[in-house]
Amino acid sequence: MNEKVSVIIPVYKVEPYIRRCVESILAQTYQNLEIILVDDGSPDNCPMICDEYARLDKRIKVIHKTNGGLSDARNAGLKIFTGDYVYFFDSDDYIANNLIETALDTAIKSSSDLVIFNYYRVDEYDNLLSTSNFDIGTYEIDDNNRVDYIVNKLAKYTLGWEAWNRLYKADIIRDNDLFFWDNRIIFAEDFGFSLNYALHANKITCISDALYYYLIRENSIMSQAAKEPRLSAAMELSKLMEDKITSVFKDSILEKEYPLIFYSIMYEQLRGVDKENYKKTIASIDDKGHFYKNIGRVIRRPILLLKHYGMLRGSVVWLMCILLKTRSFSNLNIRILQSYKKRWKIAEVFEINRPKMSSKKRIFLIGSEDFNNLKHHHTAISEREYLENTFPEYSVIEITASEYKAFRRILSFIIKRKDLIYISGGRYLRGENTHTDYIRRDMKKKYRRNRKVIFSQNVPDPILYSNYKERLAFDREGAMLLIHKDMEGALSLQDKEHIEDILGKYTNKIRYNDTILNSDISVFDRKEVVDSFIQKIGGVEFVVTDHLNGMLFSVITHTPCILLPRYKERIEEVYEWISDLGIIKIIGSIEELDEGLSELTKIKKIEYDNKSLIQ
């Protein structure tokens, strides 16, 4: 392979991340690269860092421009690139060192116009949050199935649509004058570019490899904005798509079936409408005439809906569009939307548990964690492990805390008198009440004749059931400061600096982490996410923590741990069960940290045998 790949990287206010980003592209196993760093008027030291790298590597070109936004920065790169393929890369993320080689090799061997790959979502501590799971395969696209690809692959996100998890063929971009529409006006400029590119691509390949690390920052603007539906921004994107199709693909199938593309663009935003925001959302539409005109076009094409969506989904979409068209977007619409969401959630859980549902002996594990606390996720793992080991003849069917509301009514038709019910332990705070308390009360009331067990909260903590001695190998180096960022963490900045100074006597490598992640974790990703975190805890020589979770993860990874004097009483209850290990030190003041670390460094061998706890 000798094809040149142009890598376009927009840069704006990412000083803490830019070096890792550039280093990860310089470390690529494929070297024939043109690297274009576009400084979008960044007010920090990013412009100087970009110039510094340009002096170090002749493959790097730097564009300095006034701030115009992400789309404008990428377009600036598209104006000067010279490669055979194009790759877009965001400057606060990083990539696997074989990304370009793997994607390019696939593109050439399969003669594909576009290569899509999976990605990891990570937080600022590099904790894994999730891994994408796209539909792997090669897709031949022509005029007859292009709309179906857009509606059922691109818009449904079964292949993603971000700019950075794709390798593009340069000739398609050049020949069709493709560029990014203004992200300040439309909804998701990446989605817009992917839609535009899909109008011209004829062969697309999606591979299983996860090659990109997408950073989820705490309280990021995008994550907050995503919570509110943006119908007007989505409509601006639909207008641009309609103009493109009517001018370039006039009288084609694309033009005739455009109403489905319109609805697909609006769908993601309509899905975010609920009873709290629907009036405000509909009222916020700038061009109501365009919106209702296209909704009417969807209504007049019921056969088209059935063709692309199927009978059930197509019927729901048709009914909802009728209600939208009559401008009676009321509680009835909301109920339809919520019913639609519930149906998909229920169908998803049924698909996972399909073989178990028909089992004669069943255990229902109800209310397990699927939020953002790793301790509670591990509790669910330990509970399942315990049930599967203790009752091997039973099938364990899990209904998580967030799934329970959708399943609440239908469960009464599923759970039989002879089924066993286990209610997960833990406290999942969401507002004034807890999911756990609500689920416990509801289950006790509705299933009085079933045998029920409620897992304990702490004594002994279910996490202690797990033992990673044989499952994972740990190569230890440095220390970890495992401090809560939320309300449970009470250390002052001065305390943290003092702790860092003491740790510096024993290691020059200090890692930071937290067991509360930046986003909720799906049950599908739970095992991978927890294992990744466990590997980090087990990868250090000792842990300094201020909470129970840190102590528990240290125990099951056999990692010496200092517990700082900021803990709650319940920690001492659990500590009684593991105090004889000798690897956990509870100190009364930070001044005792130095002595405690000195004792821990003298430990030569650690054996965690949880057989007595299990008994």
Side-chain angles (χ1 to χ4, degrees), residues 96 139 175 214 229 333 354 361 385 389:
Y139 302 89
D175 295 346
Y214 175 59
N333 300 62
R354 187 186 299 275
K361 291 187 174 183
E385 191 178 340
N389 290 342

Short mmCIF file of all heavy atoms in Angstrom, two decimals, residues 96 139 175 214 229 333 354 361 385 389:
data_model
loop_
_atom_site.label_atom_id
_atom_site.label_comp_id
_atom_site.label_asym_id
_atom_site.label_seq_id
_atom_site.Cartn_x
_atom_site.Cartn_y
_atom_site.Cartn_z
N ALA A 96 -6.13 4.18 18.09
CA ALA A 96 -5.25 3.02 18.11
C ALA A 96 -4.16 3.21 17.05
O ALA A 96 -4.41 3.82 16.00
CB ALA A 96 -6.03 1.74 17.82
N TYR A 139 -21.81 -3.50 2.36
CA TYR A 139 -23.11 -3.08 1.84
C TYR A 139 -22.96 -2.51 0.43
O TYR A 139 -22.26 -1.52 0.23
CB TYR A 139 -23.73 -2.03 2.76
CG TYR A 139 -23.90 -2.52 4.18
CD1 TYR A 139 -22.88 -2.37 5.12
CD2 TYR A 139 -25.06 -3.16 4.58
CE1 TYR A 139 -23.01 -2.83 6.41
CE2 TYR A 139 -25.22 -3.63 5.88
CZ TYR A 139 -24.18 -3.46 6.79
OH TYR A 139 -24.32 -3.93 8.07
N ASP A 175 -15.02 14.93 -6.28
CA ASP A 175 -15.88 14.93 -7.47
C ASP A 175 -17.27 15.51 -7.19
O ASP A 175 -17.92 16.04 -8.10
CB ASP A 175 -16.04 13.50 -8.01
CG ASP A 175 -14.71 12.94 -8.52
OD1 ASP A 175 -13.76 13.73 -8.70
OD2 ASP A 175 -14.63 11.71 -8.72
N TYR A 214 -13.14 7.84 22.06
CA TYR A 214 -13.93 9.06 22.08
C TYR A 214 -14.10 9.53 23.52
O TYR A 214 -14.68 8.83 24.36
CB TYR A 214 -15.29 8.80 21.43
CG TYR A 214 -16.25 9.96 21.49
CD1 TYR A 214 -15.92 11.19 20.92
CD2 TYR A 214 -17.49 9.84 22.12
CE1 TYR A 214 -16.81 12.25 20.96
CE2 TYR A 214 -18.37 10.90 22.17
CZ TYR A 214 -18.03 12.10 21.59
OH TYR A 214 -18.90 13.17 21.64
N PRO A 229 -34.54 18.25 22.87
CA PRO A 229 -34.79 18.05 21.44
C PRO A 229 -34.49 19.32 20.65
O PRO A 229 -34.77 20.43 21.11
CB PRO A 229 -36.29 17.72 21.39
CG PRO A 229 -36.63 17.27 22.77
CD PRO A 229 -35.73 18.02 23.69
N ASN A 333 -50.06 11.85 21.86
CA ASN A 333 -48.80 11.69 21.14
C ASN A 333 -47.69 11.20 22.06
O ASN A 333 -46.88 10.33 21.71
CB ASN A 333 -48.35 13.02 20.52
CG ASN A 333 -49.34 13.57 19.54
OD1 ASN A 333 -50.46 13.88 19.90
ND2 ASN A 333 -48.92 13.69 18.29
N ARG A 354 -34.16 -14.57 25.40
CA ARG A 354 -35.09 -15.45 24.70
C ARG A 354 -34.98 -16.93 25.13
O ARG A 354 -35.99 -17.56 25.46
CB ARG A 354 -34.89 -15.32 23.18
CG ARG A 354 -35.93 -16.08 22.37
CD ARG A 354 -35.59 -16.03 20.88
NE ARG A 354 -35.57 -14.67 20.38
CZ ARG A 354 -36.65 -14.01 19.97
NH1 ARG A 354 -37.83 -14.60 20.02
NH2 ARG A 354 -36.56 -12.78 19.52
N LYS A 361 -37.34 -23.55 35.14
CA LYS A 361 -36.88 -23.00 36.42
C LYS A 361 -36.24 -21.65 36.16
O LYS A 361 -35.22 -21.57 35.47
CB LYS A 361 -35.88 -23.95 37.09
CG LYS A 361 -36.51 -25.25 37.57
CD LYS A 361 -35.51 -26.06 38.38
CE LYS A 361 -36.17 -27.29 39.00
NZ LYS A 361 -35.23 -28.05 39.85
N GLU A 385 -23.36 -13.82 39.42
CA GLU A 385 -22.37 -14.90 39.57
C GLU A 385 -22.78 -15.84 40.71
O GLU A 385 -22.71 -17.06 40.58
CB GLU A 385 -21.01 -14.27 39.86
CG GLU A 385 -19.83 -15.22 39.78
CD GLU A 385 -18.51 -14.51 40.04
OE1 GLU A 385 -18.46 -13.27 39.90
OE2 GLU A 385 -17.55 -15.20 40.40
N ASN A 389 -23.96 -19.75 40.12
CA ASN A 389 -23.14 -20.80 40.75
C ASN A 389 -23.95 -21.61 41.76
O ASN A 389 -23.75 -22.81 41.90
CB ASN A 389 -21.93 -20.18 41.46
CG ASN A 389 -20.91 -19.63 40.48
OD1 ASN A 389 -20.93 -19.97 39.31
ND2 ASN A 389 -20.04 -18.75 40.95
#
